[in-house]
Each structure stands twice: as C-alpha cells, then as structure tokens.
Amino acid sequence: DAMVIQNPRYQVTQFGKPVTLSCSQTLNHNVMYWYQQKSSQAPKLLFHYYDKDFNNEADTPDNFQSRRPNTSFCFLDIRSPGLGDAAMYLCATSRIGTSGRPVSYEQYFGPGTRLTVT
Amino acid sequence: RKEVEQDPGPFNVPEGATVAFNCTYSNSASQSFFWYRQDCRKEPKLLMSVYSSGNEDGRFTAQLNRASQYISLLIRDSKLSDSATYLCVVLAGNNRKLIWGLGTSLAVNP
C-alpha cells in the first residue's frame, strides 16, 4: 500500500543534543511537509518542500532545519533541542500542480514521531 | 479573528445520536475545505474533502456555505468508534498550505 512512513516512532534525546527525524513516502507526491503538534493544539507547519523548492514558515526557529535528498525522503533536523521542542512531529505529503494528473490538495500524514527531550 | 474557528466541545453523545460540528473561516478567497479526524496520540486522517456545496459519505455529511464562510460536519447514527477530535481545515490562498482549526472533541458513549 502506498503510504507515508516516519522513523523512529518515538525518540528520546538530551537537551542540546542534535536529533534527526526521517520521513519517506511511496505516494510519489511532489510536496512534503513537516508539522509540529503539541497536546491539545492544532498541527503547526514548520516548512514544506514543493518539489526541491524549500519553503520555511516565518515563525519557524532556526533550530529547525530540513533536507530533501530526493522525491521520496525528507528529514527534519533539530540542531539543539530544548525542552519546549518536545512534541509530536508529523510528516505529510500532497500532490499539487503536477502536469497531466488530477490536482489534489489533500495532505496525507505519516504516523508521527513523538520526541521527548530530557 | 482566527483564520479557522471551531467549537472545541467536548461533545458527549449517546450511541445512535446525530451530532453536528460547525466551523467558520475568515478568508473569503479560500477554495478548498477538509475535515480531518484525529484519534488521541495519532496522526490526523482525512475524513472528507468539501469542494463544492457539500458532499456525503455514508453516515457523514459535509456542507459548505460560502456566503457565510461556514462549514459543517454532520454525523448520523454515531458509533463508539467515532470518538475522536474532528479538525476543520481550509486551504490557504497560495494552494499549498492548510490552515487548521483547533478541533472539536467528540465522545460517543454506550
């Protein structure tokens, strides 16, 4: 089945220790998103890739970086995690504006990585 | 005014009840609308897309009123498994980003 996969599902890191979260997709979607979600809050968009074009949200801290080496993979790097960065990190994909195919703006989510910072 | 507003609930209903959730949005240029369902500590899952005046999928009906900038979700014959948070989502003007409501919590009781 086509899907969005995130690894690891649970990550524990120490304060200030860099961590990388990964996302892969078999949907062949051209847009990939990273969201942060804290308890009882809506998902908060950090950034997204439209093909290879990186789009950062204005309020995303510099501590958060991303890489997309190819269509299928996207990484979230947290350079120096703080206690306030403990959250669920969600990867999502969508297919937008691809030539010759129906446009779909729906986003499909992976299961998330729950990050704990000690 | 928030871009997407929902009644947070919680809504507590018995099995078999009909329940309706409302959502308002502020950007009159918005073109696409969605309802997502999120279970506790899980990822959001697309429940329905609302592209025109509304649509129905089994026990679920979504309605769109562009003049009032209002979206609704109706759930008929509620099941225990419908207990979740329902998130109203609006496509932003640049057609790449979703604007999320805070969600409405539903608990269906036996």
Side-chain angles (χ1 to χ4, degrees):
Chain A
D1 287 344
M3 56 198 309
V4 182
I5 302 162
Q6 290 189 245
N7 285 302
R9 295 291 306 278
Y10 301 91
Q11 176 73 57
V12 181
T13 191
Q14 292 177 335
F15 183 94
K17 186 174 181 181
V19 66
T20 295
L21 310 182
S22 73
C23 176
S24 63
Q25 54 125 345
T26 60
L27 296 163
N28 201 30
H29 283 174
N30 61 324
V31 189
M32 295 186 76
Y33 307 80
W34 278 105
Y35 288 87
Q36 178 193 68
Q37 188 176 27
K38 296 184 177 181
S39 181
S40 301
Q41 296 184 18
K44 177 181 182 298
L45 183 64
L46 296 173
F47 23 59
H48 73 279
Y49 276 93
Y50 187 100
D51 297 319
K52 296 181 180 180
D53 181 25
F54 177 71
N55 297 270
N56 199 29
E57 291 301 298
D59 58 353
T60 297
D62 292 341
N63 197 25
F64 292 86
Q65 303 286 318
S66 186
R67 297 169 283 136
R68 189 180 185 185
N70 54 52
T71 301
S72 301
F73 285 86
C74 196
F75 299 97
L76 170 61
D77 300 308
I78 308 176
R79 295 193 294 187
S80 182
L83 297 178
D85 297 328
M88 173 79 95
Y89 289 88
L90 295 159
C91 174
T93 72
S94 64
R95 186 180 71 242
I96 298 176
T98 50
S99 176
R101 301 179 68 183
V103 175
S104 170
Y105 300 110
E106 296 125 348
Q107 292 184 15
Y108 296 89
F109 285 80
T113 295
R114 186 163 295 279
L115 178 68
T116 300
V117 182
T118 61
Chain B
R1 181 183 175 186
K2 291 181 182 177
E3 292 183 88
V4 178
E5 291 200 73
Q6 296 181 249
D7 180 346
F11 284 62
N12 285 283
V13 302
E15 272 188 287
T18 295
V19 61
F21 305 138
N22 301 321
C23 171
T24 58
Y25 60 96
S26 61
N27 186 350
S28 60
S30 298
Q31 293 295 316
S32 297
F33 310 89
F34 311 92
W35 284 101
Y36 278 76
R37 170 200 169 123
Q38 187 169 25
D39 292 283
C40 186
R41 301 176 71 83
K42 297 289 184 67
E43 75 275 22
K45 292 186 177 178
L46 180 66
L47 179 65
M48 298 181 75
S49 301
V50 188
Y51 283 112
S52 56
S53 61
N55 49 304
E56 183 175 318
D57 183 3
R59 297 182 294 109
F60 299 85
T61 301
Q63 292 288 331
L64 170 64
N65 184 320
R66 290 184 186 275
S68 301
Q69 295 178 208
Y70 170 96
I71 310 156
S72 66
L73 177 68
L74 183 76
I75 305 176
R76 290 181 297 276
D77 189 21
S78 300
K79 313 290 185 190
L80 296 177
S81 57
D82 294 334
S83 298
T85 296
Y86 291 83
L87 296 148
C88 175
V89 187
V90 175
L91 186 68
N94 66 4
N95 286 345
R96 294 185 194 178
K97 299 193 294 186
L98 300 181
I99 309 299
W100 296 76
L102 289 177
T104 298
S105 176
L106 172 66
V108 181
N109 305 305

